[in-house]
Amino acid sequence: MGRRRARARGVGGFGALLCLLLALLSAGWITRDLFAAQRPSDLWWVWAAVPTRPDGARVWATTLLDPVSGLGCLLAAVAVLRRSPSAPCALGAVAGVTLLFRAPPLWNLGAEGLPGAGAGAREWALITAGVALVVSGLLLVAASAGRSGADRRESRLRRAPAVVALLLLACSGLILAAWQVYSLRELGWSAYWGSVVGDTYRALLQPPVNWTLLSLALLSLVSAVGAARRSASLRPLGLLTASLLVAHGAAVLAAEQRAGLIGHFRALAPRTQLDVATAAFTVLAGLVVLLALARPAAGAAATRGTVGGRLPPGYAPPPPPSDLPPNW
């Protein structure tokens, strides 16, 4: 058992290094875009899907997914270094999200799908996407090894936060999925499938818009299943999904506010009103889920006591009383 735990700690340290590598890749591209922007605020508006031209002949490279996923990688690395019980699950959550959002650039950039992007920029973006996918596969291996060497006692989410997270994540996933069904009926299968796997986009590392929305719907529903089971193992995925929902909704609301739509909400077309309402709901739902899942699991405090009738290592039974009872 001790050898297995030592091996799991070694694999966990390797997983922390991989998370730091992913975070550095995101930070490098964000820094590159900051230098390409005429003003730092331009990068935010690009992330919010507001058309903004970079300085010179460059093209944008990042989206709002990059800072959110980069922060998630840093937090996963911290969890591993602190030997948190949720560290293997955090590695798995980071790996899954990275696989979803770094796969599309491989076929889009290979087909030169972004007009104006030079061959050098496309090659570096392709290398970044390929490295991210390889690192994600290694993270899944590290997460599996960490689970095999971890304590088998499974803690559970508290009932009230789990119910709140279940309802909000399920509603968010179903709403996003319903919008995809609406887009399918409106565009037809051929045009819709093109928007999922190869739509026009503004940044080198940007997945197609409907691919992103479908991925958010999938992550929300998977996290809702974990909340329904009160499984603490899916808690890191729920936190990361809630962060992505907040980022997505905030970007949409910022773009609509800049366009002057929110100030004239009653005069908008019903579909636009639904767009605004959906964005506001995802922001609110994501914030509430973050607060609900941030609380420790129900079994966290219980692990300090006895397990299976045995005291945990480092604990000793209380000493006998100094004065024995009469006629002892």
Side-chain angles (χ1 to χ4, degrees):
M1 179 63 71
R3 187 177 302 173
R4 184 185 301 175
R5 289 184 177 178
R7 184 169 59 251
R9 285 196 295 268
V11 174
F14 180 63
L17 291 177
L18 294 176
C19 288
L20 291 176
L21 175 59
L22 289 177
L24 285 175
L25 288 175
S26 297
W29 282 106
I30 292 172
T31 303
R32 179 259 188 196
D33 278 356
L34 283 173
F35 279 107
Q38 298 178 7
R39 295 178 300 274
S41 60
D42 290 344
L43 185 56
W44 161 251
W45 292 118
V46 170
W47 290 348
V50 176
T52 306
R53 293 183 60 84
D55 190 15
R58 295 184 175 184
V59 296
W60 301 110
T62 60
T63 67
L64 196 53
L65 297 170
D66 291 279
V68 176
S69 61
L71 180 59
C73 291
L74 288 178
L75 293 177
V78 171
V80 171
L81 294 177
R82 294 180 60 186
R83 298 181 183 176
S84 171
S86 63
C89 305
L91 294 179
V94 168
V97 170
T98 303
L99 284 172
L100 277 176
F101 294 124
R102 283 292 188 248
L106 288 179
W107 60 76
N108 283 335
L109 291 174
E112 300 183 2
L114 184 61
R122 285 199 308 271
E123 288 176 0
W124 280 110
L126 278 170
I127 292 172
T128 299
V131 169
L133 293 182
V134 172
V135 170
S136 299
L138 294 176
L139 279 176
L140 291 176
V141 175
S144 177
R147 290 191 186 98
S148 64
D151 196 336
R152 293 295 183 178
R153 291 169 293 181
E154 177 74 15
S155 57
R156 304 187 70 192
L157 298 175
R158 299 178 186 273
R159 185 178 300 276
V163 171
V164 171
L166 164 64
L167 294 177
L168 293 177
L169 288 171
C171 288
S172 299
L174 291 175
I175 289 173
L176 293 174
W179 275 111
Q180 292 303 297
V181 174
Y182 177 83
S183 298
L184 174 60
R185 295 185 59 185
E186 185 180 41
L187 299 175
W189 172 251
S190 179
Y192 172 76
W193 181 246
S195 71
V196 171
V197 298
D199 200 1
T200 56
Y201 49 101
R202 302 170 303 280
L204 289 168
L205 297 174
Q206 178 186 4
V209 175
N210 281 333
W211 178 283
T212 302
L213 295 176
L214 277 174
S215 300
L216 281 177
L218 176 63
L219 292 172
S220 299
L221 294 176
V222 171
S223 301
V225 172
R229 298 173 55 189
R230 297 174 59 192
S231 173
S233 61
L234 287 180
R235 180 167 164 260
L237 180 61
L239 290 170
L240 186 54
T241 301
S243 302
L244 292 171
L245 288 173
V246 172
H248 168 71
V252 173
L253 289 178
E256 290 171 341
Q257 173 62 30
R258 184 167 183 174
L261 299 181
I262 297 180
H264 303 84
F265 183 78
R266 294 184 178 179
L268 298 176
R271 174 176 176 173
T272 308
Q273 290 180 340
L274 288 175
D275 282 333
V276 176
T278 299
F281 177 79
T282 55
V283 171
L284 181 61
L287 289 174
V288 174
V289 171
L290 283 174
L291 293 175
L293 296 183
R295 300 187 61 185
T303 57
R304 299 179 182 176
T306 60
V307 178
R310 295 178 298 173
L311 290 170
Y315 287 80
S322 57
D323 295 330
L324 297 176
N327 303 322
W328 178 256

